Amino acid sequence: MRRTVLALLAAGALVSGCSTGSDQVQVNNGGEFRFVAATPVGEVIPESERAVAPEFSGTLLGGGQFSSEELAGDVAVLNFWGSWCAPCRVETPEFQEVYAGVRDEGVQFLGLNVKETDDQFALAFVDRFGIEFPSVYDPRGEVALAFRDYPANAIPSTIVLDRQGRVAAVYTGAVTQEDLRAVLDRLLVEGV
């Protein structure tokens, strides 16, 4: 009887820890996360309320180094993903379509591949979907941990930065192509 109760409690904890929503997966990065509410669809955080994004760096999938300093002056889309994430398989090809349309307008995209057991899975994912924007390989979730004030611990998550490197929008779960484009259009006309 005691074993049955313990097994049921353990199963319940496991299920509740993995079901944060119908389109996202909770990722335990070994740190304490504080949740900042997700931005409503198609909306941006008012300029006066935006916080500067943390600095980060890492190794790109396929080699090479990346520093957040490379995003300076551009609107940036940071997408936390994993090849094991079903919503990412829908969202990432849509992100590629948006990226292809805005990359020459001062918008950068950066994938952040988290909790991947082998970078070969991530490289195969990128190849399969024809993803042209770079991704940082972050198997231990160190970059996600840098964004502890934002819900980057749920996969997929997307954080959009304005040209000043401030967090302008935060999304947990999959983001549609139309919603992402609407946010980018709003940010591209700011201060112009």
Side-chain angles (χ1 to χ4, degrees):
M1 173 75 170
R2 183 171 180 219
R3 270 193 194 154
T4 303
V5 170
L6 289 175
L8 287 173
L9 287 173
L14 181 62
V15 169
S16 68
C18 295
S19 60
T20 60
S22 61
D23 61 354
Q24 63 189 10
V25 177
Q26 189 72 20
V27 177
N28 179 0
N29 290 311
E32 182 181 324
F33 288 92
R34 294 175 297 248
F35 183 76
V36 172
T39 310
V41 172
E43 295 296 320
V44 296
I45 298 168
E47 287 186 69
S48 63
E49 298 175 23
R50 295 180 193 165
V52 175
E55 293 182 7
F56 64 91
S57 61
T59 302
L60 293 168
L61 281 174
Q65 293 297 306
F66 182 86
S67 168
S68 58
E69 293 172 0
E70 295 176 45
L71 302 173
D74 287 334
V75 172
V77 176
L78 309 178
N79 179 246
F80 295 81
W81 66 277
S83 67
W84 43 266
C85 161
C88 298
R89 292 183 207 119
V90 174
E91 177 184 69
T92 305
E94 289 192 4
F95 276 26
Q96 173 57 39
E97 287 183 39
V98 174
Y99 171 71
V102 298
R103 65 178 155 207
D104 296 329
E105 297 177 31
V107 179
Q108 294 190 52
F109 277 56
L110 178 68
L112 294 127
N113 175 252
V114 297
K115 295 299 183 182
E116 200 77 60
T117 57
D118 184 335
D119 68 343
Q120 295 305 309
F121 295 123
L123 288 167
F125 180 94
V126 166
D127 185 54
R128 175 181 171 198
F129 292 110
I131 306 306
E132 297 173 330
F133 55 86
S135 280
V136 169
Y137 180 55
D138 188 28
R140 297 184 339 178
E142 293 169 348
V143 175
L145 189 57
F147 282 89
R148 69 176 49 93
D149 289 339
Y150 304 96
N153 59 328
I155 305 302
S157 285
T158 302
I159 297 173
V160 183
L161 308 179
D162 65 15
R163 288 187 177 118
Q164 289 76 40
R166 300 174 301 181
V167 176
V170 177
Y171 301 98
T172 57
V175 179
T176 67
Q177 185 176 18
E178 295 79 22
D179 291 336
L180 181 60
R181 184 61 204 222
V183 167
L184 294 176
D185 288 346
R186 287 185 64 184
L187 293 174
L188 285 170
V189 299
E190 281 185 0
V192 176

